[in-house]
Amino acid sequence: MKKGQRKENRELILSGNLVTAILTLCIPIVINSFIQTMYNLTDTYWLGKIGTDPMAAITLVTPVQNIVVNFGGGITTAGAILISQYIGAGSKSDAKKMAGQIFICAMLFSTICASVCYLVTPNIVSWLGAEGAVQKLSETYLRIVIMDMPFLYLINIFTAVNQSQGDTMRPMLLNLFGILLNMIFDPLFMIGLNLGIAGAAWATLLAKVPCAIIAFFALCNKKKEIFIDLKELHFEKEKLLSIIQIGLPTALGGSTMQFGFLLMTRNVYQYGTLAVAAYGIGNRINSLITMPSNAMGSATGTIVGQNMGAKQLERVQHTYILARRMTVTFLFIGGLILSRNIVATKIVQIFSKDEDVILLAVEYLSILAICCWTNGFYNILNGLFQGTGHTIVTMVIDVTRLWIFRFLILFICETVFQMGVQSIWYAVVISNASSAFLLWMLYQTGLWKKNKVKIKNTEAKMDS
């Protein structure tokens, strides 16, 4: 990122037009998120060509991978928040040191977790209740794909360091390169080399390797304002405590939430592989329409972080209001379109030719889509609270959404109303809406106005 562009982005975030700032950060994040989702959608598309069992297997074990990703994601989320606030406060040296601490923590964590998960994969799959062909396919996929953790974390560190500076374009381009490789590898390995579900896992892993190498050398580039100096890498107590304070709640909330998703998938499995396949397809397609919401939340967190560091509270609130209006409007209109039976059916048919799977997936997707506007409130508020360092708040809401709202609603729908597999569909949408409302109530208290990140300016201001 050139110095002139770096200065321009910082000025835009701290004093420029907020709509322009939001869109400048958000659009590349949306594209980047779409690219990330394409990893799973590409796998889903080709798995649909080879049968329902492989589709059910990948749906069953994906939450396991997501637990590890989300726990470690707390580290990179903390890094993005802290680096953003150091930049807003004008402390370049501390921002650079924080990038180094994030690198050490993320690499250590991802390597250990990948090794442990590889060893206990058979136990995990057995616990999930998989049997026969699905059990074997699940073990094969998870053992291969879990090895991409260190590479994925390198890419995530690159994204966090760049996004905290207002550069969302380079992470997008890097991930675009990765998905292009994955789109080539998937049919080559799965169909051409007849590796089936193992081919999907190898395609995902090998597509990330060159991206991780590029990310590593970019992070170590000393010509950049914030870079990682390998010779100076060592643990710094104060910064590690900051990462733990900000990152641990996010890690616990994210991983606990994903563990809840894992149990939800286990509940779906009791309705058979057709239901699991439909559940997976519906979730993946719905992620496309909610993608801008996630991106807006991420952009909001970056803008809020820098402005909190610069002590510009009114600008923080204005950012939240603008982002919320834009996001909710988009999701409401997009959800109405996607919830139409004819639209949902055409999209689902891309991923499955099984009529029973299509029927269930369309039903689930239609219910998700019509209510997806509530995600707009949730994601933007999540970005606001994270940007101000209130990650304990987001952790509590994440845990509450799954472990209280979702499972309670699931229990009521299954046991009281005897709704069968539809219990899953309604438990998802009602719990999402409930958690968004709870987060909005916390916003009304003004808690977000108290910055939880303590910035000590140890140097001269950054280039102006």
Side-chain angles (χ1 to χ4, degrees):
M1 191 175 183
K2 294 180 180 179
K3 185 175 179 180
Q5 184 185 353
R6 188 171 62 236
K7 176 184 175 182
E8 182 180 336
N9 282 359
R10 190 159 64 243
E11 288 179 348
L12 179 62
I13 289 171
L14 295 176
S15 59
N17 182 282
L18 276 175
V19 174
T20 303
I22 292 169
L23 292 177
T24 299
L25 268 66
C26 179
I27 291 173
I29 297 175
V30 171
I31 298 172
N32 192 21
S33 298
F34 176 76
I35 292 166
Q36 292 279 18
T37 302
M38 283 303 295
Y39 278 107
N40 283 333
L41 288 177
T42 303
D43 287 348
T44 301
Y45 175 80
W46 289 106
L47 285 168
K49 299 290 185 183
I50 59 178
T52 299
D53 282 349
M55 185 83 72
I58 195 172
T59 300
L60 188 67
V61 298
T62 293
V64 178
Q65 182 188 14
N66 289 342
I67 289 173
V68 180
V69 171
N70 276 264
F71 190 90
I75 300 172
T76 50
T77 297
I81 294 169
L82 292 163
I83 293 171
S84 291
Q85 293 220 15
Y86 278 128
I87 290 171
S91 185
K92 179 178 71 173
S93 176
D94 282 318
K96 189 179 82 169
K97 290 177 181 177
M98 182 56 69
Q101 296 302 298
I102 297 300
F103 177 80
I104 297 173
C105 294
M107 288 299 95
L108 185 63
F109 174 83
S110 61
T111 302
I112 292 173
C113 275
S115 302
V116 172
C117 288
Y118 181 88
L119 293 174
V120 301
T121 287
N123 305 84
I124 294 172
V125 173
S126 295
W127 177 78
L128 287 171
E131 298 176 344
V134 173
Q135 179 179 10
K136 185 177 180 181
L137 291 169
S138 297
E139 289 181 10
T140 299
Y141 180 82
L142 184 58
R143 270 197 155 160
I144 298 170
V145 83
I146 203 69
M147 291 189 292
D148 83 347
M149 287 296 102
F151 306 108
L152 175 62
Y153 276 45
L154 259 175
I155 297 168
N156 289 345
I157 296 167
F158 174 81
T159 300
V161 169
N162 281 275
Q163 187 172 312
S164 63
Q165 299 175 78
D167 180 10
T168 53
M169 185 63 69
R170 281 176 173 77
M172 180 200 76
L173 293 174
L174 183 64
N175 280 294
L176 177 60
F177 175 59
I179 186 56
L180 289 175
L181 290 177
N182 191 56
M183 292 177 73
I184 295 170
F185 291 159
D186 257 341
L188 175 63
F189 294 162
M190 295 171 65
I191 309 297
L193 299 179
N194 199 29
L195 294 177
I197 197 170
W202 280 115
T204 300
L205 170 61
L206 295 178
K208 287 189 174 71
V209 173
C211 295
I213 294 172
I214 293 170
F216 175 75
F217 282 105
L219 286 167
C220 296
N221 186 352
K222 296 183 179 181
K223 294 180 180 180
K224 296 191 175 182
E225 189 168 61
I226 297 176
F227 63 91
I228 295 171
D229 191 340
L230 297 178
K231 294 180 181 179
E232 294 183 4
L233 281 183
H234 60 276
F235 289 113
E236 295 185 30
K237 182 179 178 181
E238 184 178 336
K239 287 184 169 52
L240 285 175
L241 288 175
S242 295
I243 293 172
I244 292 171
Q245 178 190 3
I246 302 299
L248 187 59
T250 301
L252 291 174
S255 58
T256 303
M257 184 174 65
Q258 289 299 327
F259 187 67
F261 289 149
L262 186 66
L263 293 182
M264 281 294 293
T265 305
R266 194 182 183 197
N267 274 281
V268 179
Y269 194 73
Q270 69 178 320
Y271 295 104
T273 56
L274 294 177
V276 176
Y279 180 68
I281 292 171
N283 284 337
R284 285 176 171 83
I285 296 173
N286 183 63
S287 69
L288 291 175
I289 191 66
T290 57
M291 200 177 294
S293 175
N294 296 327
M296 290 289 273
S298 183
T300 299
T302 298
I303 297 172
V304 166
Q306 288 203 26
N307 280 284
M308 286 300 287
K311 304 185 186 304
Q312 299 184 149
L313 198 60
E314 287 187 10
R315 191 169 175 83
V316 167
Q317 185 169 25
H318 194 197
T319 299
Y320 158 71
I321 293 171
L322 279 174
R324 185 193 67 194
R325 288 174 181 171
M326 295 163 67
T327 305
V328 172
T329 300
F330 173 83
L331 288 183
F332 184 76
I333 296 171
L336 282 178
I337 296 171
L338 191 59
S339 65
R340 301 303 89 192
N341 191 272
I342 187 170
V343 177
T345 301
K346 291 294 183 182
I347 296 175
V348 169
Q349 285 174 340
I350 298 173
F351 302 100
S352 178
K353 301 304 179 185
D354 189 311
E355 291 299 324
D356 292 326
V357 171
I358 292 172
L359 188 64
L360 282 174
V362 168
E363 179 184 75
Y364 178 42
L365 181 59
S366 297
I367 295 170
L368 279 176
I370 200 68
C371 299
C372 71
W373 60 271
T374 61
N375 288 24
F377 281 95
Y378 182 86
N379 290 129
I380 303 305
L381 284 163
N382 199 62
L384 173 67
F385 279 105
Q386 287 200 340
T388 57
H390 288 276
T391 51
I392 290 179
V393 170
T394 59
M395 177 195 74
V396 171
I397 298 300
D398 280 343
V399 172
T400 302
R401 176 160 67 120
L402 266 295
W403 292 94
I404 297 180
F405 292 141
R406 188 161 300 181
F407 287 115
L408 177 61
I409 294 164
L410 178 62
F411 175 78
I412 292 172
C413 289
E414 283 186 332
T415 59
V416 178
F417 297 108
Q418 301 290 315
M419 294 172 63
V421 72
Q422 286 187 335
S423 303
I424 305 289
W425 313 160
Y426 285 100
V428 171
V429 297
I430 296 174
S431 62
N432 286 346
S434 300
S435 59
F437 178 74
L438 183 57
L439 202 52
W440 180 78
M441 291 293 290
L442 288 172
Y443 164 77
Q444 296 298 319
T445 67
L447 177 65
W448 59 273
K449 296 178 182 179
K450 299 176 182 178
N451 190 7
K452 295 290 289 184
V453 179
K454 305 303 179 184
I455 299 293
K456 294 180 180 179
N457 220 336
T458 59
E459 60 161 329
K461 294 286 183 183
M462 296 174 76
D463 297 334
S464 60

